Amino acid sequence: MDEKFEHELTLKDLIRIFYRGRWVVLSCFSAVMFLTVYYTFTVTPEYEASAKVIVQEESARGMDIFDIGGFIQQETMINNQVEILKSRTLAETVIKKLQKSDLADQLEILQTGKYAENPRSMVAGFKNTIKGLLGIEAKKDEYTLDDKVEVLMEERLSITPIRNTDMIEIKVTAVTPKEAAFIANNLTLAYQEKNRKMSQEEIRQVKEFLEEQLTTIQSQLAESENALRDFMQTKKVVALSHETEELIKKMAEFEGFYHEALTSLNSFKERLVYINDQLGKNRQNFDIESISADTYFEELKKSMAMLQSRRSAYMANLINRGVYSENDVELRKFDEQISGLTEKLKTELAKLASQDIVNPVAMNEQLFVSKIEVEANIQALKPKVTALKKIVDEYSVKLESLPQKKLQLARLQRAAKVDEKIYLMMKEKFQESRITEVGQLGDVRIIDPAKPPKNPVRPKKVLNLILGMVVGLGLGIGITFLLEAMDNSIRTNEDVERLGITILGSIPVINENDTYNKIKVEPAGVKNGTTDDVKRMASRLITHFAPKSPISEAYRSFRTNIQYAKIDQKLQTILVTSPGPGEGKSTSAVNLAITMAQMGSRVLLVDADLRRPVVHSIFNTDRRVGLTNALVARAKLEETIIQTEINNLSIITCGTLPPNPSELLGSPPMDKLIADLKTKFDVVLFDTPPVIAVTDAAVLGSKVDGIILVVKSGQTDKEACFRAHSLLKNVKTHILGSLLNGVNIESLYGSYYYYYHYYYYGKDNGKKKKKKTGKPQAV
């Protein structure tokens, strides 16, 4: 049975669905477009300012240390910078800077937060629009610093890395061009400053170490100088011998070299502590000692120790001879060899470390390079410190051979000179670290600062209107198809035919006002009634009061189709029923009887609906004496027949309502009554109850020549129609076909039959009348 209800949609079916749902589509389209236009032209405009920065780490400018794709590492670095730009810490810094700025009172982001709900969302925009139309005020909560930071991070800020470059685009939206540019530039500067501080952190830690050591050595120098002065005043010793002076001078010079190397070593160790701490925070640290237990690496360290020892011995020889110079050729050769070994140490350490790291791509390359460089310098400085310490110890042994008094003075002079050299060297190193710190500009360079934009980026008026049209049409079409899918009612002749039921005719919707306008004389029996009563009777008897109307013509076509339904068999008794109530079977039976009477046939209409009879009300007659009275022999047949004001048309009302309608209609007296009526009339029509609700129609249907099933367009369910047809077939009745009633012609776009037969006939009829009188004619 389901296959009867399903069929492939054709283009004509689609057009018909659209035409039938045109008001739904138009309503949805109008509503959505109204909201879209209202939102588009009333929402606060947004302006977007953009700035561009380039990020280049120092390690990225040199050679690639990892033997893997440099592109992937660079992409990871850019992604890290993007996350820093999106971080809450940076957003808080920017908000605090904005609060301290001269424009703080003018910046909307710092005020009430009325813009806090994301304006980029059209849904949020429509929500605010509807609230505005309904007069609902937004709830005002306290606008805290966290709220401002959240608005900046989630709604105002957009960070986008520029493909295949080291550049990042920073976009900020605001309600004014000036505010957008101001926030974007403050964010860019705060990001640059944060990056600079991060790059200076390592040097700053070394500088603080040197500053602390400088303070200590300054105090130590003052103490040693005071001790020397006090000793010389107390012991009345003025000077040492020339040999002793030379020995102290050389010793002090070597101690200066030793402490310089030791300070450099300690500085590198301080840097290493900072680097290990940063790598530890990211869980990316690696142990050099554990990975450097390699034969080749050990050989490099031994070569470094030997070179440093030979250099120190050569330097001691130069100092002893009094010809020491930093530009000495041999010393420079030693330095070049040591520098070469240091670079080899760096390369070997990098290789060993890259093998030990689980995920080298995720490693912070700048920290990795710094650690390798620091570790290599530490490995180079350790043998140098050891070699210089050995020479200093040798001079100390020589100094110990002096007499006690001279030895004490020599020690004091040596301490004073060494402290002085260390102080000067430390001061120089401290100044160098300060200069280095200031010189650390970071990896971020501002390429394009933000400028106030000229035009708003939102709302995009043209795009919004296009989207509104698409959404409006889509919503309307979607609802139309949804309603169509949910609607299982019969609407067209084709729907009836798909159920396997012959279609005998279709009747358009009867409009009471149109019918009333076509008559001039009130129907008999309702002259004292209201206008509504007149309209109701005229519409139900339309074939009598408006015989030239399109609806009357439809009933005549229906009559003709019935006459030719069975050419080989005379149709004298016809039963009219429907699947359910309210489908127009009684009105259809009445008008069918009128059209047959107009043809000259003697017609009798019997109201066989013994449950809810209506024929007597249509003709405005008394029903007390009728069919049931004749069946129970309480009235003669002739007494029940009522001649109407319509020629050749008589009716029999239902009579007294019985308690057992089905049994009465199926009784032998009913058979005799039908036989008697056939002798008196050419056509006998029976109006019966709905076939699904009760069995009356099925019982009486087996006694007549044919059955007509009336279904109503847009109301009768397809399954109900099919069920009614099956019930009638099961009791061996002769079904002539079906009448489609209440057809809405305007909703049946594309049906040539309705258009040409009814609509054209109505127009033509109207024109003829207009030519004759200029106003409706009485019938």
Side-chain angles (χ1 to χ4, degrees):
M1 184 179 71
D2 292 340
E3 294 179 357
K4 293 180 179 293
F5 305 141
E6 298 177 359
H7 70 283
E8 185 177 350
L9 286 176
T10 63
L11 179 60
K12 187 178 291 186
D13 293 328
L14 291 175
I15 295 175
R16 192 174 295 149
I17 291 171
F18 289 147
Y19 187 76
R20 193 158 53 234
R22 63 192 182 279
W23 295 113
V24 174
V25 175
L26 184 60
S27 299
C28 291
F29 178 79
S30 301
V32 172
M33 282 304 297
F34 171 75
L35 291 175
T36 302
V37 171
Y38 183 86
Y39 165 76
T40 301
F41 291 97
T42 59
V43 72
T44 304
E46 288 182 70
Y47 295 86
E48 185 177 78
S50 64
K52 290 182 183 178
V53 298
I54 187 169
V55 184
Q56 286 187 320
E57 291 189 348
E58 291 295 332
S59 58
R61 301 180 189 127
M63 69 174 186
D64 187 13
I65 291 183
F66 292 117
D67 190 20
I68 57 177
F71 172 77
I72 299 177
Q73 300 173 33
Q74 193 69 3
E75 185 178 12
T76 302
M77 181 270 292
I78 292 294
N79 290 337
N80 291 338
Q81 298 301 318
V82 168
E83 291 305 316
I84 292 174
L85 279 163
K86 293 179 179 179
S87 67
R88 185 173 190 85
T89 304
L90 184 62
E92 286 182 357
T93 303
V94 173
I95 292 295
K96 289 176 181 177
K97 286 183 67 176
L98 295 177
Q99 289 175 333
K100 295 177 182 179
S101 68
D102 296 335
L103 300 177
D105 295 337
Q106 303 174 27
L107 299 178
E108 179 274 337
I109 193 174
L110 302 179
Q111 305 307 317
T112 60
K114 59 187 177 182
Y115 194 54
E117 187 166 10
N118 190 354
R120 299 176 192 172
S121 169
M122 183 172 283
V123 175
F126 279 141
K127 180 180 175 182
N128 292 335
T129 298
I130 293 172
K131 283 184 177 180
L133 290 173
L134 297 177
I136 301 174
E137 294 184 1
K139 185 178 179 181
K140 296 181 180 179
D141 297 323
E142 185 181 356
Y143 193 45
T144 63
L145 175 64
D146 291 339
D147 295 331
K148 298 169 187 176
V149 171
E150 186 176 351
V151 169
L152 177 61
M153 290 174 58
E154 298 182 3
E155 299 169 14
R156 303 295 188 86
L157 184 61
S158 173
I159 308 297
T160 308
I162 300 176
R163 194 184 180 99
N164 299 328
T165 68
D166 297 333
M167 299 177 69
I168 300 174
E169 187 174 21
I170 302 169
K171 295 180 180 179
V172 175
T173 57
V175 295
T176 64
K178 187 176 181 180
E179 180 175 346
F182 186 69
I183 296 176
N185 286 327
N186 273 275
L187 180 69
T188 305
L189 291 173
Y191 167 59
Q192 187 182 39
E193 179 66 17
K194 184 178 181 68
N195 179 269
R196 187 178 66 83
K197 287 182 177 180
M198 289 174 65
S199 66
Q200 290 176 345
E201 191 65 33
E202 182 181 339
I203 303 299
R204 186 181 297 113
Q205 187 157 339
V206 174
K207 186 196 76 172
E208 291 174 355
F209 166 74
L210 291 175
E211 187 175 15
E212 181 181 346
Q213 294 296 313
L214 185 62
T215 304
T216 302
I217 200 66
Q218 188 175 8
S219 301
Q220 187 177 329
L221 175 61
E223 290 177 3
S224 61
E225 287 178 343
N226 291 333
L228 177 60
R229 186 180 62 252
D230 292 344
F231 179 81
M232 293 179 68
Q233 290 176 355
T234 304
K235 302 297 182 178
K236 306 296 182 181
V237 178
V238 178
L240 296 171
S241 63
H242 177 70
E243 293 79 5
T244 305
E245 288 282 353
E246 285 296 321
L247 178 63
I248 292 172
K249 180 181 177 182
K250 293 174 183 178
M251 187 176 181
E253 194 161 1
F254 266 104
E255 279 203 78
F257 289 135
Y258 165 71
H259 282 286
E260 182 179 3
L262 184 62
T263 301
S264 296
L265 178 62
N266 290 333
S267 297
F268 279 118
K269 286 182 178 180
E270 284 294 322
R271 287 183 63 187
L272 185 61
V273 169
Y274 169 79
I275 293 170
N276 285 337
D277 182 59
Q278 295 300 310
L279 290 172
K281 288 180 181 178
N282 299 326
R283 299 181 181 180
Q284 297 174 333
N285 203 2
F286 53 95
D287 184 20
I288 291 292
E289 294 297 331
S290 62
I291 65 176
S292 62
D294 180 77
T295 305
Y296 180 69
F297 188 76
E298 290 296 328
E299 289 295 327
L300 287 177
K301 290 198 292 185
K302 287 180 181 179
S303 299
M304 178 67 73
M306 184 181 67
L307 274 176
Q308 291 286 11
S309 178
R310 288 173 58 190
R311 182 184 185 280
S312 299
Y314 179 75
M315 186 172 64
N317 183 37
L318 292 178
I319 291 174
N320 289 333
R321 288 160 48 197
V323 293
Y324 171 77
S325 171
E326 292 182 355
N327 296 321
D328 184 82
V329 176
E330 289 298 323
L331 278 178
R332 292 175 68 87
K333 287 182 180 179
F334 278 118
D335 291 338
E336 288 176 0
Q337 291 176 353
I338 291 170
S339 178
L341 279 178
T342 303
E343 290 300 322
K344 287 184 179 180
L345 281 171
K346 289 182 184 179
T347 304
E348 187 65 20
L349 282 173
K351 288 181 181 178
L352 294 172
S354 62
Q355 295 171 5
D356 187 67
I357 297 171
V358 177
N359 186 10
V361 175
M363 170 68 68
N364 187 312
E365 190 175 352
Q366 188 172 4
L367 288 175
F368 179 87
V369 173
S370 296
K371 177 160 184 172
I372 295 299
E373 181 182 357
V374 169
E375 288 282 3
N377 283 314
I378 289 175
Q379 295 298 329
L381 283 171
K382 280 181 178 179
K384 181 177 182 179
V385 170
T386 302
L388 290 173
K389 181 69 168 60
K390 183 179 179 181
I391 295 175
V392 169
D393 291 342
E394 290 176 357
Y395 275 101
S396 296
V397 171
K398 291 180 181 179
L399 192 65
E400 292 294 327
S401 63
L402 295 174
Q404 184 62 33
K405 194 172 183 180
K406 290 184 178 180
L407 175 61
Q408 192 173 0
L409 179 60
R411 284 175 177 172
L412 291 172
Q413 284 187 349
R414 185 203 70 174
K417 287 185 178 181
V418 169
D419 288 344
E420 183 181 7
K421 282 184 174 292
I422 294 174
Y423 175 73
L424 293 174
M425 179 271 298
M426 198 75 72
K427 193 172 182 180
E428 182 181 357
K429 292 281 187 183
F430 176 70
Q431 295 298 332
E432 287 177 358
S433 65
R434 289 183 62 186
I435 294 171
T436 304
E437 181 186 16
V438 174
Q440 288 289 327
L441 301 177
D443 305 320
V444 176
R445 304 289 182 271
I446 299 175
I447 304 301
D448 286 332
K451 290 185 177 181
K454 295 181 180 179
N455 300 313
V457 292
R458 280 175 292 272
K460 300 181 185 297
K461 296 181 179 179
V462 176
L463 179 61
N464 285 358
L465 294 177
I466 293 174
L467 286 176
M469 287 190 287
V470 172
V471 171
L473 288 174
L475 181 63
I477 292 172
I479 293 176
T480 298
F481 272 98
L482 179 63
L483 294 175
E484 184 69 23
M486 295 174 63
D487 183 9
N488 195 40
S489 64
I490 292 174
R491 288 189 176 274
T492 64
N493 290 346
E494 291 81 358
D495 292 338
V496 178
E497 290 172 345
R498 290 189 189 101
L499 298 176
I501 304 173
T502 303
I503 188 75
L504 296 174
S506 54
I507 309 299
V509 176
I510 300 174
N511 188 293
E512 292 184 358
N513 292 325
D514 290 345
T515 305
Y516 179 72
N517 292 334
K518 294 178 183 297
I519 66 173
K520 209 167 189 181
V521 180
E522 292 184 356
V526 292
K527 290 183 178 181
N528 297 324
T530 64
T531 303
D532 291 338
D533 294 334
V534 176
K535 289 181 179 179
R536 192 176 300 111
M537 175 171 278
S539 63
R540 289 203 164 188
L541 302 175
I542 189 170
T543 52
H544 173 59
F545 292 106
K548 294 187 177 181
S549 67
I551 298 173
S552 298
E553 179 64 25
Y555 275 113
R556 284 191 285 273
S557 297
F558 173 44
R559 176 198 64 192
T560 302
N561 291 336
I562 292 174
Q563 290 174 337
Y564 289 96
K566 290 292 180 180
I567 301 177
D568 56 343
Q569 180 181 349
K570 183 179 180 182
L571 295 176
Q572 195 172 357
T573 55
I574 301 173
L575 181 145
V576 180
T577 187
S578 64
E583 294 177 339
K585 62 176 181 58
S586 297
T587 301
S588 299
V590 168
N591 283 284
L592 176 61
I594 293 172
T595 56
M596 287 184 170
Q598 289 172 344
M599 192 173 60
S601 301
R602 293 174 298 160
V603 180
L604 175 67
L605 175 61
V606 180
D607 191 351
D609 189 345
L610 305 182
R611 301 173 190 271
R612 297 178 63 183
V614 295
V615 172
H616 67 280
S617 63
I618 295 175
F619 288 94
N620 197 24
T621 62
D622 188 7
R623 69 171 177 81
R624 285 178 294 181
V625 179
L627 177 62
T628 57
N629 303 93
L631 291 176
V632 297
R634 291 188 179 180
K636 294 180 180 181
L637 180 60
E638 291 75 9
E639 294 176 353
T640 62
I641 299 174
I642 302 172
Q643 177 64 43
T644 67
E645 64 180 58
I646 303 170
N647 294 333
N648 300 321
L649 177 61
S650 302
I651 64 172
I652 296 179
T653 61
C654 66
T656 305
L657 296 181
N660 53 346
S662 298
E663 290 78 5
L664 200 59
L665 292 175
S667 64
M670 187 67 192
D671 295 337
K672 183 177 182 305
L673 184 141
I674 293 174
D676 291 342
L677 293 177
K678 284 184 176 181
T679 62
K680 297 177 181 295
F681 297 93
D682 297 325
V683 178
V684 180
L685 295 175
F686 293 92
D687 179 23
T688 61
V691 66
I692 293 179
V694 292
T695 61
D696 299 13
V699 171
L700 186 58
S702 60
K703 302 176 184 294
V704 298
D705 299 331
I707 296 177
I708 297 170
L709 187 65
V710 178
V711 295
K712 189 170 184 179
S713 176
Q715 178 176 323
T716 304
D717 190 82
K718 293 177 182 176
E719 293 185 4
C721 181
F722 183 81
R723 175 66 175 162
H725 185 260
S726 299
L727 289 174
L728 293 173
K729 284 179 64 178
N730 291 339
V731 294
K732 308 300 181 183
T733 60
H734 182 206
I735 303 173
L736 299 177
S738 176
L739 172 68
L740 182 60
N741 187 38
V743 177
N744 186 354
I745 298 175
E746 292 184 354
S747 67
L748 296 176
Y749 178 86
S751 178
Y752 70 91
Y753 180 78
Y754 298 110
Y755 179 82
Y756 286 110
H757 189 72
Y758 300 130
Y759 186 73
Y760 178 77
Y761 181 85
K763 288 287 185 183
D764 184 62
N765 186 39
K767 287 179 181 178
K768 288 178 181 179
K769 288 183 178 183
K770 198 168 185 180
K771 287 179 181 178
K772 285 183 178 181
T773 64
K775 54 185 178 181
Q777 297 291 315
V779 294

